[in-house]
């Protein structure tokens, strides 16, 4: 039943104090409590009745309301018998957490409300209850022990004709039903993951509905099942960047409660699988931590090499020889600094350091990630170095890694978070591992100097002028670029000219008049006129190497 139906029932004596936009929430049960922390008894969807005996003063209100909102209750109904009018601090806290709040007239007993809700909910579910129970039983017997998330999603396809996928926070497809047919395009996966992260970060209740190209998808959060009571009040930022999401090609807005319950059961089954895989990562995390401690304490290369030999068969079974290694360093920083970024970055790296073309959870088993302080450090094995002798790039590349995660993770960090990544070159010995770690950390600092919520830098940039630019003080950057480029920008605005694009193209073509004219589709004489105007406005000579370099740096810093 809906909250709106309760409000419309005069005999219940309910008066709405806040949350008018949330009255279409579904009530799945009722609970009466005066405990300060009732989280262990909450399953989500309840109407919580309270006489406010838990409230000694206004400071007790925020924790209580936060626990209810985190547990997913439908609404809070507070009795007026104890305090008369409901205190303003309760009204304000419920508004902050988007929790509908009702006042219960002192003449109405909580038992009356409880009896009404139970009778209505039981009546609505009675007709299809047997089918729901049977489906849940089949799902449980076909869960993780019977084939993992794919089998669970196949049942959705056969029983309910639903196409569904499990996505990582970066938009990688972890599982999909056979009924889903062809794989979702990568841009669509990234879009759905980003919409889900944005919805979770803003406190909206799931399932979240997204329409792309006239197709509606319903997004159900998959929260790990082992959080217990502490999880009810934990900050969403501790998990938003690592939780999976179930994407269903359907609009769940008008679904009956039985179907919503079934999908919630599916997410719980997949969460069990997620917990199992997280537990399996314990050994890999320990290996990474041991290697990291040896490297950072300056242990002998022979000792580090011995640990690498132990790690290689665990991460790449059947390889037969120690692989090359790459190091990736990540840092997640939240404004205010109250959230420990190390564990968040660790979980995040374990999700994103997988080839975007690889489906399923298993590829993540080849990555060992440790965390120390606020940073996470990944030890990535490379089983083959195809271009080792020809100078070509091998292994993970910072640009490709950034492109695969930028859009969805930017949505998850929007407002108060930032992710920076640094990627080292590959090394083939224990002696090189310390240098790779420092290289990855230095590259991450370069990335941190750039604007944006998600930034990455690789070892290639450490031998380039790009390394120097982020560390130029802001006031120096602004003065330098303004002196060279502002006259050109002002001229372009007044005359609708294109001096800045012309300058960029001229430098990209290494000062070649013919190639630049061809790129811009201009006559060479027109190009010469524009370059002359640039030189006249700036007092520079584009035939001189020094002036070309100044323009190049100004464009890169602007």
């Amino acid at each position: 039943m809906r909250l709106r139906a309760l409000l419309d029932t005069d005999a219940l004596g309910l008066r709405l104090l806040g949350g008018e936009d949330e009255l279409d929430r579904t009530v799945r049960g009722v609970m009466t409590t005066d405990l300060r922390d009732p989280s262990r008894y909450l399953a989500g969807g309840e109407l919580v009745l309270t006489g406010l005996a838990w409230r000694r003063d206004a400071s007790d209100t925020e924790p209580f309301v936060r626990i209810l909102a985190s547990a997913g209750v439908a609404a809070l109904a507070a009795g007026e018998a104890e305090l008369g009018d409901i205190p303003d601090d309760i009204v304000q806290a419920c508004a902050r957490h988007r929790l509908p709040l009702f006042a219960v007239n002192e003449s109405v007993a909580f038992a009356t409300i409880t009896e009404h809700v139970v009778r209505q909910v039981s009546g609505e579910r009675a007709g299809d209850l047997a089918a729901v129970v049977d489906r849940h039983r089949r799902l449980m017997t076909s869960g993780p022990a019977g084939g993992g998330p794919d089998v669970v999603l196949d049942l959705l396809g056969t029983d309910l004709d639903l196409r569904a996928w499990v996505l990582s926070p970066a938009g990688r497809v972890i599982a999909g039903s056979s009924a889903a047919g062809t794989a979702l395009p990568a841009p669509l996966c990234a879009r759905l993951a980003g919409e889900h992260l944005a919805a979770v970060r803003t406190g909206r209740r799931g399932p979240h509905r997204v329409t792309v190209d006239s197709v509606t998808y319903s997004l159900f959060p998959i929260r790990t099942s082992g959080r217990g009571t502490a999880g009810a009040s934990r900050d969403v930022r501790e998990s938003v960047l690592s939780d999976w999401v179930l994407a269903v090609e359907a609009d769940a807005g008008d679904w009956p409660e039985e179907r919503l319950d079934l999908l919630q059961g599916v997410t719980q089954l997949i969460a069990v699988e997620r917990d199992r895989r997280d537990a399996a990562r314990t050994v890999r995390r320990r290996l990474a931590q041991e290697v990291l401690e040896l490297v950072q304490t300056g242990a002998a290369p022979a000792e580090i090499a011995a640990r690498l030999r132990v790690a290689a068969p665990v991460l790449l079974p059947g390889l037969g020889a120690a692989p090359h290694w790459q190091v990736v360093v990540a840092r997640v920083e939240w404004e205010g600094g109250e959230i420990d970024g190390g564990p968040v970055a660790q979980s995040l790296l374990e999700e994103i350091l997988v080839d975007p073309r690889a489906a399923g959870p298993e590829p993540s088993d080849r990555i060992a990630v440790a965390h120390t302080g606020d940073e996470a450090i990944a030890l990535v094995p490379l089983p083959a170095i195809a271009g080792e002798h020809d100078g070509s790039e091998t292994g993970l590349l910072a640009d490709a890694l950034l492109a695969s995660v930028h859009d969805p993770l930017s949505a998850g960090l929007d407002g108060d978070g930032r992710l920076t990544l640094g990627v080292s070159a590959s090394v083939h010995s224990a002696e090189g591992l310390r240098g790779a770690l420092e290289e990855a950390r230095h590259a991450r600092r370069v990335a941190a100097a750039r604007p944006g919520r998600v930034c990455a830098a690789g070892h290639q940039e450490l031998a380039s002028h790009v390394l120097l630019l982020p560390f130029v003080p802001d006031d120096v950057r602004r003065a330098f670029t303004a002196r060279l480029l502002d006259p050109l920008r002002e001229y372009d605005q007044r005359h609708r000219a294109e001096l800045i694009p012309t300058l960029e193209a001229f430098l990209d073509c290494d000062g070649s008049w013919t190639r630049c004219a061809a790129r811009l589709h201009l006559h060479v004489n027109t190009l010469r006129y524009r370059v002359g105007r640039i030189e006249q406005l700036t007092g520079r000579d584009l035939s001189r190497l020094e002036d070309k370099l100044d323009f190049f740096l100004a464009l890169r810093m602007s």
Side-chain angles (χ1 to χ4, degrees), residues 19-333:
E20 184 176 358
D21 295 337
E22 305 287 342
L23 290 180
D24 286 327
R25 289 187 181 184
T26 300
V27 180
R28 297 189 177 91
V30 63
M31 173 189 167
T32 300
T33 184
D34 275 312
L35 294 174
R36 299 178 66 188
D37 181 4
S39 57
R40 72 186 65 184
Y41 305 111
L42 297 173
E46 299 93 342
L47 172 67
V48 174
L49 304 173
T50 180
L52 302 180
W54 51 266
R55 182 184 179 276
R56 296 170 301 185
D57 54 47
S59 65
D60 293 330
T61 298
E62 174 65 23
F64 181 83
V65 173
R66 183 174 65 247
I67 288 170
L68 298 188
S70 299
V73 305
L76 173 64
E80 295 179 324
E82 181 73 20
L83 300 177
D85 291 338
I86 306 304
D88 287 341
D89 54 273
I90 297 180
V91 177
Q92 293 166 7
C94 288
R96 282 195 299 273
H97 290 276
R98 297 184 180 183
L99 182 65
L101 175 64
F102 298 99
V104 182
N105 190 283
E106 61 180 343
S107 64
V108 178
F110 283 176
T112 302
I113 299 174
T114 300
E115 181 181 356
H116 178 84
V117 171
V118 170
R119 186 170 59 249
Q120 293 296 320
V121 170
S122 299
E124 290 175 1
R125 291 182 177 177
D128 202 34
L129 183 59
V132 172
V133 171
D134 180 64
R135 286 193 179 103
H136 272 284
R137 185 181 299 111
R138 291 174 58 195
L139 287 171
M140 288 298 294
T141 56
S142 301
D150 293 286
V151 174
V152 177
L153 298 186
D154 282 343
L155 283 177
L156 287 181
T158 57
D159 282 17
L160 301 179
D161 195 26
L162 290 175
R163 288 157 47 93
W165 301 263
V166 177
L167 305 178
S168 78
R172 185 174 65 88
V173 176
I174 292 170
S177 62
S178 57
T182 57
L184 289 179
L188 176 57
C189 292
R191 167 78 181 277
L192 295 178
E195 293 283 355
H196 165 69
L197 291 174
V200 173
R201 290 282 286 112
T202 54
R204 293 178 4 228
R205 291 168 58 92
H208 318 300
R209 303 197 298 277
V210 180
T211 300
V212 181
D213 296 332
S214 302
V215 179
T216 300
Y217 298 87
S218 296
L219 308 177
F220 294 81
I222 299 174
R223 298 187 173 92
T224 53
S225 59
R227 292 184 180 177
T229 57
S233 59
R234 72 186 294 177
D235 195 303
V236 68
R237 293 174 293 181
E238 295 182 50
S239 60
V240 66
L241 298 179
S242 57
D243 280 349
W244 293 351
V245 59
L246 175 65
V248 181
E249 189 181 298
D251 188 344
D254 298 323
W255 279 5
E257 293 310 308
E258 293 84 357
R259 180 167 290 198
L260 285 173
D261 285 344
L262 178 61
L263 266 293
Q264 293 296 342
V266 170
T267 64
Q268 291 167 10
L269 287 171
I270 297 173
V272 172
E273 173 71 3
R274 173 66 188 273
D275 286 339
R276 185 184 69 81
R277 296 184 185 277
D278 282 347
R281 288 174 173 169
T282 302
V283 173
R284 293 184 292 280
R285 287 178 172 178
R286 188 182 305 120
L287 284 172
Q289 197 72 44
E290 290 174 356
V291 172
L292 175 62
E293 289 174 359
L294 290 174
V295 170
Q296 293 192 127
T297 56
E303 188 177 358
I304 299 174
R307 297 308 302 162
L308 291 177
R309 284 194 295 272
V310 172
V314 174
L315 300 178
L316 291 175
L319 184 65
H324 289 60
W325 302 93
Q326 218 170 348
V327 175
V328 179
V329 173
R331 184 183 290 261
V332 174
E333 297 170 291

Side-chain angles (χ1 to χ4, degrees), residues 323-326 381-390 392-395 426-428:
H324 289 60
W325 302 93
Q326 218 170 348
L382 304 175
I385 308 294
E388 180 180 358
H389 302 297
D390 61 13
S392 62
E393 296 298 339
T394 58
S426 61
V427 296
H428 64 276

